[in-house]
C-alpha cells in the first residue's frame, strides 16, 4: 500500500562495516533526504570523555558532564557529514581506531543512550530522514516508515574497513581490524540497552555479494514502492 504522507523516516541498522554510512549518504543525496549518522554521536561522546579523562574512563555524573557538551551534525549537499562538539570539528578525530576500541564503554551506558536517543529525535524535524545505527528501528524510531537491516560477512566487512582506513592514508593490521569487528559485534548484540538486533518488520539485506550500486538501487526501490 502506498502511504502518502509528508513525514518519512528510513531506519538503517546493522553491524560495523556493513556499509550503512556510505549507503545512507548516497541514498539521501539521490532522494533529497537528510542523513543522520547516529554512530558519530557515540563516537563524539567517546572522544569527549577520552580527551577529558584520558584512559581513565570513569563516567561519574554523566548527565552533568553531558550538559557541558553541545553536539551538532551538518549534512552537506555533496554528502559530506560534519560532527561538531562545542563548535570544534571532530569529524576526523572520531574516526581514529582508538575511539572504536573504547566506544562500547560509552555506548553500553543507559544514560548516554537516552541522551543520544533524545538528541536524534530532536534532530529529525525535517520531513524526510535517513538515519543509521544499531537501534534506530528498534528504539529511536520503532514506527519508522521503512526499516532496513544491512549485513555482510565478517570477512567482507573487514576488507571494507581496511580499505576505508587505506583511503584515509592509514595502514592498519587486517587481523586486528577483524578482531575488533568480532568484538564490537559481540558488544553491540549483547548490550543490555538498545542491542543490535534485526526486528521482524525490517528488510534484511546481506550485502556480502552485492555491489555498492546494487544496495543503493535496492533501498531506493524500497522507498519508492512504499512512500
Ligand atoms: O561505522 P561503524 O560501523 O564502525 O560504527 P558507527 O556507526 O560509527 O558506530 C560506532 C559504535 O557506536 C558502534 O559499534 C556502537 O557501539 C555504537 N552505536 C550504538 O550503540 N548505537 C547506535 N545507534 C549507533 C552506534
Amino acid at each position: 500500500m502506498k502511504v502518502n504522507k509528508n513525514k518519512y523516516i528510513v531506519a538503517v541498522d546493522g553491524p560495523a562495516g556493513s556499509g550503512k554510512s556510505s549507503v545512507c549518504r548516497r541514498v539521501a543525496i539521490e532522494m533529497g533526504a537528510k542523513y543522520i549518522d547516529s554512530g558519530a554521536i557515540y563516537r563524539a561522546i567517546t572522544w569527549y570523555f577520552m580527551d577529558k579523562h584520558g584512559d581513565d574512563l570513569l563516567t561519574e555524573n554523566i548527565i552533568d558532564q553531558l550538559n557541558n557538551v553541545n553536539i551538532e551534525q551538518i549534512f552537506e549537499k555533496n554528502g559530506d557529514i560534519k560532527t561538531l562538539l562545542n563548535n570544534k570539528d571532530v569529524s576526523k578525530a572520531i574516526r581514529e581506531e582508538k575511539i572504536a576500541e573504547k566506544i562500547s564503554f560509552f555506548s553500553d551506558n543507559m544514560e548516554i543512550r537516552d541522551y543520544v536517543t533524545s538528541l536524534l529525535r530532536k534532530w529529525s524535524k525535517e520531513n524526510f530522514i535517513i538515519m543509521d545505527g544499531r537501534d534506530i528501528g528498534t528504539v529511536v524510531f520503532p514506527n519508522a516508515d521503512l526499516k532496513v537491516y544491512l549485513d555482510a560477512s565478517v570477512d567482507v566487512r573487514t576488507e571494507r574497513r581496511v580499505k576505508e582506513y587505506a583511503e584515509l592514508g592509514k595502514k592498519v593490521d587486517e587481523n586486528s581490524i577483524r578482531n575488533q569487528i568480532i568484538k564490537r559485534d559481540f558488544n553491540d548484540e549483547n548490550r543490555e540497552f538498545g542491542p543490535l538486533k534485526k526486528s521482524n518488520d525490517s528488510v534484511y539485506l546481506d550485502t556480502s555479494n552485492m555491489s555498492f550500486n546494487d544496495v543503493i538501487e535496492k533501498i531506493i526501490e524500497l522507498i519508492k514502492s512504499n512512500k
Side-chain angles (χ1 to χ4, degrees):
M1 190 177 80
K2 287 197 195 287
V3 197
N4 194 1
K5 53 179 189 166
N6 289 327
K7 185 95 181 164
Y8 194 85
I9 296 181
V10 183
V12 180
D13 290 304
S18 55
K20 301 179 301 291
S21 165
S22 33
V23 163
C24 289
R25 275 193 292 174
R26 175 73 83 76
V27 173
I29 294 173
E30 302 221 354
M31 303 290 293
K34 177 183 175 186
Y35 165 56
I36 299 174
D37 176 355
S38 72
I41 311 178
Y42 288 99
R43 284 173 179 272
I45 290 172
T46 304
W47 178 88
Y48 175 76
F49 281 107
M50 285 176 76
D51 187 58
K52 206 166 160 209
H53 303 301
D55 278 342
D56 178 12
L57 297 179
L58 283 181
T59 44
E60 277 165 15
N61 306 323
I62 282 185
I63 293 303
D64 287 347
Q65 296 198 53
L66 287 176
N67 276 338
N68 300 322
V69 170
N70 179 40
I71 302 177
E72 291 165 276
Q73 200 168 77
I74 302 162
F75 179 55
E76 287 166 355
K77 284 208 163 58
N78 66 358
D80 284 348
I81 189 145
K82 266 199 195 122
T83 303
L84 308 178
L85 195 144
N86 293 342
N87 292 322
K88 181 183 163 79
D89 185 350
V90 293
S91 316
K92 269 215 182 105
I94 62 173
R95 298 289 148 200
E96 296 279 335
E97 222 186 317
K98 64 177 185 205
I99 301 289
E101 275 163 18
K102 295 282 190 288
I103 201 160
S104 71
F105 185 84
F106 299 96
S107 60
D108 286 355
N109 181 290
M110 193 189 70
E111 285 179 298
I112 291 184
R113 297 205 73 82
D114 285 347
Y115 170 90
V116 175
T117 297
S118 46
L119 198 61
L120 291 169
R121 290 182 183 149
K122 201 173 87 193
W123 284 358
S124 300
K125 300 281 180 255
E126 282 83 354
N127 283 341
F128 191 1
I129 301 287
I130 298 182
M131 188 182 292
D132 75 342
R134 302 294 190 283
D135 60 343
I136 309 305
T138 50
V139 175
V140 183
F141 289 118
N143 296 322
D145 300 273
L146 174 66
K147 299 181 188 180
V148 178
Y149 189 98
L150 275 195
D151 208 352
S153 68
V154 170
D155 280 349
V156 168
R157 291 189 282 127
T158 303
E159 224 175 90
R160 288 180 187 160
R161 247 317 108 90
V162 171
K163 210 174 134 210
E164 242 173 63
Y165 280 118
E167 279 162 9
L168 293 172
K170 286 186 190 139
K171 202 170 164 349
V172 286
D173 175 55
E174 189 173 323
N175 252 334
S176 84
I177 296 292
R178 182 189 313 274
N179 289 335
Q180 198 193 90
I181 283 184
I182 294 169
K183 195 169 147 215
R184 259 204 303 146
D185 284 356
F186 182 84
N187 285 337
D188 285 342
E189 287 162 12
N190 292 289
R191 78 163 63 89
E192 194 179 350
F193 316 106
L196 169 66
K197 59 176 182 230
K198 194 199 151 292
S199 58
N200 289 334
D201 53 354
S202 62
V203 178
Y204 180 82
L205 289 183
D206 181 347
T207 68
S208 306
N209 296 309
M210 287 171 85
S211 73
F212 181 63
N213 282 338
D214 287 348
V215 183
I216 307 293
E217 270 172 36
K218 180 72 200 168
I219 295 180
I220 290 181
E221 189 188 301
L222 287 166
I223 295 173
K224 284 185 175 162
S225 65
N226 89 342
K227 199 170 192 288

